[in-house]
Amino acid sequence: MSVLPNCPECSSEFAYQDGALLICPECAHEWNQSEEAEDGSDDKKIVDANGKPLADGDTITVIKDLKVKGSSLVVKVGTKVKNIRLTDGDHDIDCKIDGIGAMKLKSEFVKKV
């Protein structure tokens, strides 16, 4: 008898197989074990406009003028931003820009220095 993995949602050990899917009877979560094995990890890589991977603490340069929502300020092309933090969501870079303050940026508008 094969050993089935615990449920990724609630960690229940009572998961059972139904065709290609694994099902948790406690939380009703369904998942495909083969897709989970292919993915390896849930971490998605965040890359800059040139395809280079970004990491926490990197220095980046803005490649497009970006209007700051709710104000008349603009982040100009060539602005260097030091010590970035990567986050989940639509805007995946959290940083502080001199003269503007704390901001969230999209990785598609920056390049790694």
Side-chain angles (χ1 to χ4, degrees), residues 61-73:
T61 303
V62 178
I63 62 168
K64 178 182 177 185
D65 282 348
L66 301 172
K67 294 180 183 178
V68 178
K69 191 172 184 179
S71 74
S72 61
L73 299 173

Side-chain angles (χ1 to χ4, degrees), residues 70-87:
S71 74
S72 61
L73 299 173
V74 175
V75 179
K76 296 286 187 178
V77 171
T79 302
K80 282 192 177 182
V81 182
K82 298 178 183 176
N83 199 18
I84 64 169
R85 290 173 305 283
L86 302 179
T87 60

Side-chain angles (χ1 to χ4, degrees), residues 6 18-19 34-35 44 55 61 75-76 78 94-95 98 102 112:
N6 292 348
D18 184 20
S34 63
E35 287 179 5
K44 70 173 191 174
T61 303
V75 179
K76 296 286 187 178
D94 195 15
C95 60
D98 293 336
K112 190 172 181 177

Side-chain angles (χ1 to χ4, degrees), residues 33-63:
Q33 186 176 6
S34 63
E35 287 179 5
E36 186 176 275
E38 290 173 8
D39 292 345
S41 66
D42 292 337
D43 297 335
K44 70 173 191 174
K45 299 288 182 184
I46 298 175
V47 295
D48 68 359
N50 296 330
K52 291 184 181 178
L54 296 172
D56 287 344
D58 281 347
T59 300
I60 57 172
T61 303
V62 178
I63 62 168

